[in-house]
Amino acid sequence: VLFRSHGNGDKLEKMLDICAQKIEQSLRWYTKENYPYMNTAHLGIEDNIPTCGCDSCTKVKNAHNGADSAAVLIFVNRVGEKVMEWMNKPENAAYKRDDFTFTFFAYQSTLNPPFSVNSDGTINASGDLKSPEGVNVKAFTAFSSLDYAHTTDYPANAAPLALVSDWAKFTTDGWAWTYGCFFNDYFCFFDMYSFYEDFYKILYKNKYRFTFAQFHSEQRGADTGFFTLANYLTCKMAWDSSLKMNDLIDEYFDAMYLDAADSMKEYFLECRLWFAESHEKEGWGWSSNQLQPTNNASLISLGFINTLFEKLDKAYAAIEKYRMDEETYSKLKEHIDIEWLFPAKCAIGLYSSKYDVSAIKPKFKSLCNSLGITKVAENVGIESFLDSF
């Protein structure tokens, strides 16, 4: 990713102009009358794209705490200055937004801040990092190296969590992007439930304004592995960080499963136990989100799948009393069916000789279709798996 144009001043100005013009074009299209809340321009980077290592970028990096984010911040400051100059012209009054913000990803190679922090909490930041008058620039910090399977006080989380407060000292009302799933396995349970309750308190303490927890962002329709629960909890606690995780979990199960709540909570706890044991036994770290457990019999045992099916059978039996109320029964059964998909995929893919998959396979296909499930993993559609049986 280039932010200095290899030190070529003319090309850099052209890059800045093109970037500013793109934002101005968007402001013309997304008018404040029709889109009053679209007040942010984000200049992002994609996954695993290295920043430039030319002499010009290296010089800027070395002068700013050895951080690649320095060149990005300086670039965004200059783009912001051009856009605000355009926006403040009388002829562009229709496009002017008083609360306009520019954000950039502090992510992967650009996650470290371009300043150092003193022992008293103050920062050592060069003057060229300061945004021009009237230009509001802030970091959108994406914490890919946190271990979301552990609590916030887990030793390996100390260094990345320190960046939460470090960036907050420089950009007020910050933004944070977080994670917590197996990105290559959308059907597998992932336990991030011990992490987020305290993490949202940390964001609140540091006056973050916006946060996005990315789980199965490409999935459409239903989402197995209790990711509907995960989305519900993170939404609730992002809004109110004083809420208690366990209280919200209890409320969710009571509302979603009624008489089957106890059985489904037993199922949920079995998943948590499996995850904790696997995490410890396999030595998983923050990069475990790239694993594919439902494709690996060494990670998911037959006994674990048997136990999950037993809990599900109890849950299905508990809602039989609602059969006369078609609407209620159908909804409860659907909620259980969604979680049935996780062990069912393992039975089909890992233990087809141990189960009557002639009954499991058609139910699995039918549910994926009726529930609108489109992905088996990030960037991988469900079709190839369904077509395999």
Side-chain angles (χ1 to χ4, degrees), residues 9 34 55 82 89 111 113 129 151 165 172 182 189 194 201 222 232 238 248 256 292 295 347:
N34 295 327
D55 291 343
K82 288 176 177 289
K89 291 179 179 179
L111 180 56
L129 298 177
T151 56
S165 58
T172 58
F182 292 112
F189 176 87
S194 297
K201 290 179 173 61
Y232 170 75
L248 292 174
M256 293 290 281
Q292 297 175 286
N295 292 342

Side-chain angles (χ1 to χ4, degrees), residues 226-301:
F226 287 106
F227 276 95
T228 300
L229 168 63
N231 284 321
Y232 170 75
L233 293 174
T234 51
C235 286
K236 293 284 287 188
M237 289 188 294
W239 185 257
D240 182 354
S241 62
S242 69
L243 295 173
K244 302 296 183 183
M245 176 78 78
N246 288 333
D247 291 344
L248 292 174
I249 290 175
D250 288 341
E251 292 170 5
Y252 177 91
F253 277 87
D254 288 342
M256 293 290 281
Y257 302 108
L258 296 184
D259 293 65
D262 288 344
S263 297
M264 291 305 294
K265 187 174 287 187
E266 290 175 5
Y267 173 101
F268 174 67
L269 293 176
E270 287 291 342
C271 289
R272 298 196 73 181
L273 179 60
W274 161 78
F275 188 93
E277 290 178 341
S278 298
H279 199 284
E280 181 68 21
K281 178 183 175 182
E282 301 296 329
W284 289 349
W286 65 268
S287 61
S288 63
N289 58 14
Q290 300 300 325
L291 297 176
Q292 297 175 286
T294 63
N295 292 342
N296 191 335
S298 69
L299 296 179
I300 295 186
S301 70

Side-chain angles (χ1 to χ4, degrees), residues 99-113:
D99 58 347
F100 202 70
T101 300
F102 300 87
T103 62
F104 66 94
F105 266 147
Y107 174 51
Q108 293 188 348
S109 63
T110 64
L111 180 56
N112 290 328

